[in-house]
Amino acid sequence: MSTSDRILLILHIGFAIFTLGPLTAATMSTPRYIRKRNVVVVRYLHRTTQIYGLGTLGIFLIGLGLAKGDLAEVWLTVSMTLFVVALVLLLIVERDQRKAVHLLEVAAAEAAPAAVPVRPDAVKETEEPGESEEPEGGATEAEAPAAARPAAATGEVAQVERGRLAAMSGVVALIWLVILALMVWNG
């Protein structure tokens, strides 16, 4: 193995370690933060997926350089095919993350007006003596039945996206492991 091949191999392994690890961690932890409705973290994980997803292209390109045009070997063809499948799945993961961020932002916007309770003593300080505005029926926002609250506040948000993200990120992680096994076994 020549020096240039060794450098390419070091770059190939380095790109694999430093891009696939954070990418897999970001995609696999996204469903947890969707469930917690933490839109800031989901937005961050989406951005991380975009950046490291582009970085994985470096793994593919350096791997092509290492193959030196000898793509007739079955394990190389299978590895590259699986890599392309994983990239397509990552595009779907990125789309679902983007959609989940949007749904979480919409749910937060719908719940925001209802989430700001008005202190009764603050209302009394601004009212003139004798003026008392009580809601009809005497019920406050906190006492409203669950049926009267917005659906986003009581139900799950981005449930479909969360399930797809969990499934697809697991499949992508398994694909990375199969490619690793092929590289180690035949390389």
Side-chain angles (χ1 to χ4, degrees):
M1 184 176 258
S2 69
T3 305
S4 62
D5 287 343
R6 288 183 197 274
I7 291 172
L8 279 177
L9 184 61
I10 289 170
L11 286 174
H12 183 67
I13 293 170
F15 262 90
I17 291 170
F18 291 110
T19 59
L20 295 182
L23 177 66
T24 304
T27 58
M28 293 190 86
S29 61
T30 301
R32 176 184 319 134
Y33 291 101
I34 292 173
R35 188 176 339 106
K36 290 181 180 181
R37 294 182 180 202
N38 193 336
V39 69
V40 174
V41 174
V42 175
R43 192 179 302 121
Y44 172 76
L45 292 172
H46 174 244
R47 186 69 178 146
T48 301
T49 301
Q50 288 177 328
I51 292 169
Y52 286 103
L54 286 174
T56 59
L57 292 175
I59 299 169
F60 189 76
L61 295 174
I62 294 171
L64 281 176
L66 281 170
K68 294 181 181 174
D70 185 25
L71 303 176
E73 296 195 36
V74 175
W75 67 276
L76 279 175
T77 306
V78 170
S79 295
M80 289 189 304
T81 303
L82 287 173
F83 201 92
V84 170
V85 168
L87 286 178
V88 169
L89 292 175
L90 281 174
L91 288 173
I92 296 170
V93 165
E94 189 273 334
R95 180 205 63 193
D96 285 341
Q97 284 177 328
R98 186 174 357 107
K99 190 172 180 184
V101 166
H102 174 71
L103 291 172
L104 288 172
E105 288 172 343
V106 168
E110 288 176 356
V116 182
V118 178
R119 291 187 341 208
D121 56 340
V123 173
K124 289 180 183 175
E125 290 173 4
T126 60
E127 292 179 356
E128 293 292 323
E131 288 183 19
S132 175
E133 293 184 21
E134 192 153 323
E136 290 182 21
T140 62
E141 182 69 36
E143 298 169 346
R149 291 186 203 137
T154 59
E156 290 293 324
V157 176
Q159 201 171 12
V160 171
E161 288 75 15
R162 192 177 78 205
R164 263 197 307 243
L165 283 166
M168 298 246 189
S169 61
V171 170
V172 169
L174 285 175
I175 289 173
W176 298 143
L177 290 175
V178 169
I179 292 171
L180 175 66
L182 287 169
M183 294 292 147
V184 170
W185 190 268
N186 296 301

